[in-house]
Amino acid sequence: MSRRVPGRSEAGASRRAIPDSSKYQLARWWSGATIAAVLDSRVVPDGHGVWREGDHTVAFYLEYDTGTETLSTVAAKLPAYRRVQDLGGPRWPVLFVLPSRLREGNLRQRLAATGTSGVTVATASQDRVDTDPSGPIWALAGDTGPRRRLIDVPCELGSASPLNPGPATPDQDPLRLLRDQD
């Protein structure tokens, strides 16, 4: 079954579509299988990314919810992320993309009642992500304030270790081959 993951372009890459990476950049995008292998399958997110804007960087896990699991099952993923943190892994936020605003609201209610196991969680519905995944669409679990831009979601990058791949490197830029065509 094919899943649509935010940040992948269905339109193809034209020269005009490649953003100026000096202002903002998806510096790393790894599939769920790649990041799971790095973390020795302790967690298996749908993806992992590193977003940069100017001098600021946020790394994140992506959980892409299609609505086929119960919200209890979705929320039950968080203790595994906490265990990775406790073993010295990264303290990156878990971003949940949900298929509708209603489901997003229901997950936020569940997390308010059950907690996030000490993991930073931000949520957004698919329609918001389709508009601009880096924009002010992310609602932090337990926070009633305004939605945040991706770069403003709290993140501790940490240092490279057996469970932390460290900062993104130029060879991990998912658009590097297109940028190198200059």
Side-chain angles (χ1 to χ4, degrees):
M1 179 172 142
S2 175
R3 289 197 280 184
R4 186 167 168 262
V5 178
R8 293 188 180 168
S9 170
E10 281 102 46
S14 70
R15 296 295 292 163
R16 289 183 303 261
I18 302 169
D20 176 0
S21 63
S22 66
K23 296 178 184 172
Y24 50 86
Q25 174 188 24
L26 181 62
R28 176 166 62 211
W29 177 256
W30 286 348
S31 69
T34 299
I35 189 62
V38 169
L39 298 174
D40 200 24
S41 296
R42 288 179 170 86
V43 293
V44 184
D46 293 308
H48 155 64
V50 176
W51 181 255
R52 288 188 183 136
E53 283 189 32
D55 294 336
H56 301 285
T57 301
V58 62
F60 57 88
Y61 300 106
L62 179 73
E63 288 283 351
Y64 187 75
D65 176 56
T66 61
T68 60
E69 298 175 319
T70 66
L71 291 177
S72 295
T73 300
V74 172
K77 296 176 180 185
L78 294 174
Y81 287 100
R82 179 53 191 246
R83 284 191 292 278
V84 167
Q85 291 177 3
D86 291 345
L87 291 170
R91 296 184 177 277
W92 302 332
V94 178
L95 306 182
F96 283 97
V97 176
L98 298 112
S100 69
R101 291 183 186 205
L102 176 63
R103 186 159 169 92
E104 179 193 5
N106 289 339
L107 177 60
R108 291 177 54 71
Q109 286 178 343
R110 175 161 309 264
L111 294 176
T114 62
T116 64
S117 300
V119 175
T120 300
V121 172
T123 65
S125 58
Q126 182 65 57
D127 65 311
R128 293 179 198 272
V129 171
D130 286 344
T131 302
D132 179 4
S134 68
I137 64 165
W138 299 102
L140 290 179
D143 184 2
T144 58
R147 290 180 179 267
R148 297 176 187 219
R149 294 172 49 243
L150 178 57
I151 200 68
D152 297 325
V153 173
C155 172
E156 293 179 38
L157 296 174
S159 302
S161 70
L163 289 178
N164 187 338
T169 59
D171 66 309
Q172 294 170 339
D173 175 358
L175 298 179
R176 75 183 176 285
L177 297 176
L178 297 172
R179 288 191 180 99
D180 290 346
Q181 291 179 358
D182 291 336

